[in-house]
Amino acid sequence: MFPIRDHNPSERTPYVTLVLIAANVAIFLAGLVLFQDQRALSQLYYDYALLPIRLSNGENYTALVTSIFLHGGFMHLAGNMLFLWIFGDNLEDEMGHIPFLVFYLVCGIGASLAQYGADPLSTIPTVGASGAIAGVMGGYLLLFPKARVDIFIFFIVFFRILPIPAWIMLGLWFVIQLFSGINVDTSNGGVAYWAHAGGFVIGAILTVPLWIKLGATLFWRQTHGHPPHPEAEYTRSNIPIVRR
């Protein structure tokens, strides 16, 4: 099950989302040559990836941010950027450009700390934007639970694109991350499930004030994450309480 798009167009250009995607791609391409040099790659990870043991020793706190912009391979990068593109534009639309950037970075730092807390003495570097993007997904779930998300389902020779409500797709994704984090040994590396789960929860919590400002359940009743109908009496742009 893999999301490929949502049916929830934003009302303004998501400049921050585009810049974040461009920055992640540029950094990956700039460091691509290092994948041919294990010593240089190890030094890159030592300096800029999240190494829990270094954090426990009071070192390299900047890695809480720099690790968000590193990726371990093309598919790792492509998957993260796809998720950011699908869910980031709508959250940026509601939050505003600068608040969304701050939100993204805070979610990323919080996700890094969640992964650190799972194994503070780990010597395995953690890289990737998925914790920050999980925060975006948590915020999206709170604001647009019934937005339609197209998911790609592939099973051996069978595949299908199926539109489902965002709360099903994102809720299932979160449950998988949570239970995987509980059952997977973090000392063996692999996927940073606790960063995913932690970022998701932090993103949802940080979005609560905006959700209340937009009208809370009233916002759900009037939009449900769908584009306003042309003949609808109300749209997001003229709901009296929606002011940023």
Side-chain angles (χ1 to χ4, degrees):
M1 184 178 72
F2 199 80
I4 56 175
R5 66 173 181 174
D6 68 341
H7 298 271
N8 190 14
S10 54
E11 296 178 355
R12 52 182 163 178
T13 304
Y15 293 112
V16 172
T17 299
L18 292 171
V19 168
L20 286 171
I21 292 173
N24 278 279
V25 171
I27 291 171
F28 177 78
L29 293 177
L32 199 57
V33 65
L34 299 181
F35 282 87
Q36 308 302 321
D37 185 339
Q38 287 300 311
R39 179 177 295 183
L41 186 62
S42 296
Q43 188 63 48
L44 175 72
Y45 286 160
Y46 183 80
D47 291 336
Y48 299 108
L50 174 66
L51 275 169
I53 187 65
R54 292 196 68 190
L55 220 58
S56 294
N57 291 333
E59 303 173 359
N60 204 25
Y61 293 114
T62 56
L64 292 170
V65 175
T66 58
S67 62
I68 302 171
F69 294 91
L70 298 177
H71 289 84
F74 176 76
M75 294 306 297
H76 184 204
L77 172 71
N80 278 346
M81 295 305 100
L82 176 62
F83 274 68
L84 178 56
W85 174 247
I86 292 173
F87 301 110
D89 63 324
N90 297 112
L91 219 57
E92 182 178 347
D93 193 26
E94 297 299 338
M95 289 183 173
H97 302 304
I98 300 303
F100 175 72
L101 176 60
V102 174
F103 169 85
Y104 180 88
L105 294 175
V106 170
C107 287
I109 293 171
S112 295
L113 289 173
Q115 187 64 26
Y116 163 78
D119 189 357
L121 300 180
S122 174
T123 58
I124 300 175
T126 300
V127 297
S130 54
I133 297 168
V136 173
M137 295 163 65
Y140 189 101
L141 175 62
L142 182 60
L143 294 186
F144 307 108
K146 294 187 178 180
R148 307 300 289 182
V149 179
D150 285 347
I151 61 170
F152 180 81
I153 300 176
F154 177 78
F155 182 72
I156 307 177
V157 296
F158 168 81
F159 69 90
R160 184 178 180 183
I161 296 175
L162 180 68
I164 63 173
W167 70 268
I168 295 178
M169 182 262 149
L170 294 174
L172 181 59
W173 183 89
F174 173 72
V175 169
I176 292 172
Q177 307 311 305
L178 183 61
F179 278 90
S180 296
I182 294 172
N183 294 302
V184 171
D185 184 0
T186 58
S187 64
N188 294 324
V191 178
Y193 291 112
W194 284 115
H196 295 175
F200 191 95
V201 172
I202 292 168
I205 292 173
L206 291 178
T207 308
V208 169
L210 173 62
W211 176 65
I212 294 174
K213 182 180 179 181
L214 291 172
T217 55
L218 174 64
F219 180 70
W220 282 348
R221 292 196 299 270
Q222 292 183 327
T223 70
H224 292 301
H226 296 293
H229 190 277
E231 298 179 358
E233 183 178 355
Y234 297 100
T235 67
R236 277 187 288 169
S237 60
N238 59 23
I239 297 173
I241 57 174
V242 181
R243 295 290 184 269
R244 291 195 291 275

